[in-house]
Amino acid sequence: MESNFNILDLLRLQVVENMIGGQERQRQELLKNQQLAETQKQYLEASQNLEQLNASYSELEHNRKKLEDKIQIQRDKIKANQDKLFSGTIGSSKELLNYQEENKALEASNSKLEDQELELMMQIEEMEPQLAKAREGVGQLQQKIEGLKQEISVKVKQLDEKIKIFKDKREAIAATIPSGEMEKYQRVKQKKGGIAVSVLKDNFCSVCNMEIPFVEAEKINDPLQLYKCPLCGRLSVLYRPEVDKIKEEMEE
């Protein structure tokens, strides 16, 4: 394994790990999708509003039905009294007067109840467009949520596929790196914010962007050797044309 080790594999390892990290961050951002969260909040508010409207509508309809039932009961009573009045079975003028007075009171009561019922019917009629609009709004938000979830699901699946490809590449690259170099890489990576390897080009470090002192730069001349940046302490490789192609290789 030692004889096949290419120091650029450390750079390849870092590049592919950065790609994995980038894809995983994108995945997390997708799962925390702000548009979906806001739409879900709107849906909850709209659903609560619809629930309140439905409750108010049901209460109005319930009260209207109670009035309707009471009016019908009194109508039935009036008819029964009228049947009695024309039955020829009433034995006294007092009894006759009692039936007539009762019907008069029932008709007056029904007149008031019918006015109340009419008022409730008007309120119900006015509320129906509000209910229809609220239902439509909830339905549209629900469709939007489902659409966003489906869109996110597709993108997450695509990212998962990319992550798997990059992880497979990482494993293949890691297998070519000697254990000692891998331990060194992991140690520097942990200390240096996740970036362990830099490229030294024209006496500048690609990570800390500092110019390497001339005395130190003179010692860095072998593209096959692994160096250490004297300024930031990262593992460093001397620039060669293959470096420019590494990212493209990892994305293939």
Side-chain angles (χ1 to χ4, degrees):
M1 185 179 290
E2 296 284 347
S3 61
N4 295 330
F5 174 54
N6 181 344
I7 61 170
L8 287 186
D9 284 341
L10 287 172
L11 187 58
R12 290 186 177 92
L13 181 65
Q14 179 173 276
V15 169
V16 78
E17 285 185 347
N18 289 346
M19 288 177 170
I20 291 169
Q23 297 293 314
E24 288 177 340
R25 285 190 293 274
Q26 285 185 47
R27 189 181 192 280
Q28 289 301 316
E29 286 301 314
L30 276 172
L31 293 175
K32 294 188 296 184
N33 188 279
Q34 291 298 315
Q35 186 180 6
L36 176 59
E38 181 60 30
T39 305
Q40 288 174 325
K41 181 182 177 182
Q42 292 172 1
Y43 174 78
L44 178 60
E45 292 172 352
S47 296
Q48 290 172 341
N49 179 57
L50 177 58
E51 186 177 345
Q52 291 172 357
L53 285 173
N54 274 325
S56 298
Y57 184 88
S58 296
E59 184 179 3
L60 288 172
E61 183 58 30
H62 175 72
N63 291 337
R64 186 204 65 77
K65 187 66 170 62
K66 281 174 64 177
L67 287 174
E68 183 182 62
D69 291 343
K70 188 171 182 180
I71 290 168
Q72 188 57 50
I73 290 170
Q74 294 190 159
R75 282 176 180 164
D76 292 341
K77 180 64 175 173
I78 290 170
K79 185 177 183 305
N81 287 347
Q82 286 175 338
D83 290 344
K84 185 71 173 176
L85 287 170
F86 293 105
S87 68
T89 60
I90 296 176
S92 68
S93 58
K94 183 178 180 180
E95 186 180 3
L96 177 64
L97 183 61
N98 286 339
Y99 279 118
Q100 290 174 337
E101 288 296 328
E102 184 178 17
N103 272 8
K104 186 177 180 181
L106 288 170
E107 287 170 354
S109 175
N110 265 6
S111 179
K112 291 180 181 179
L113 293 176
E114 286 168 353
D115 288 343
Q116 293 174 23
E117 183 186 20
L118 180 60
E119 184 177 344
L120 288 175
M121 289 172 68
M122 291 175 64
Q123 291 179 34
I124 289 169
E125 188 176 348
E126 288 175 359
M127 186 173 283
E128 284 173 350
Q130 296 178 50
L131 266 173
K133 185 176 180 181
R135 290 192 190 103
E136 182 181 5
V138 168
Q140 288 174 344
L141 287 169
Q142 191 171 19
Q143 288 180 354
K144 186 175 180 181
I145 288 170
E146 292 305 316
L148 285 170
K149 283 183 176 179
Q150 185 175 2
E151 181 181 336
I152 290 168
S153 177
V154 169
K155 289 181 178 179
V156 167
K157 184 178 179 181
Q158 291 171 345
L159 285 172
D160 285 342
E161 291 171 353
K162 286 184 179 180
I163 289 169
K164 184 181 183 307
I165 291 171
F166 289 145
K167 284 185 175 180
D168 289 344
K169 288 185 177 182
R170 184 199 179 282
E171 291 304 313
I173 295 168
T176 70
I177 299 173
S179 58
E181 300 297 336
M182 179 62 81
E183 288 173 8
K184 191 186 300 181
Y185 171 87
Q186 295 291 3
R187 188 165 56 250
V188 176
K189 177 183 172 183
Q190 186 175 6
K191 289 181 180 179
K192 299 295 180 178
I195 304 297
V197 184
S198 71
V199 177
L200 303 177
K201 182 180 181 182
D202 299 330
N203 296 339
F204 277 86
C205 171
S206 64
V207 179
C208 67
N209 294 317
M210 299 291 288
E211 185 175 10
I212 297 168
F214 179 75
V215 175
E216 297 289 342
E218 277 193 323
K219 301 174 186 177
I220 302 172
N221 52 32
D222 186 353
L224 301 180
Q225 184 176 336
L226 186 64
Y227 294 95
K228 181 177 180 181
C229 174
L231 300 171
C232 67
R234 288 179 171 85
L235 305 177
S236 302
V237 296
L238 190 62
Y239 173 80
R240 46 178 146 155
E242 296 97 309
V243 168
D244 296 329
K245 300 177 182 179
I246 287 176
K247 187 177 180 184
E248 293 179 10
E249 289 175 12
M250 296 302 100
E251 289 178 339
E252 288 177 355

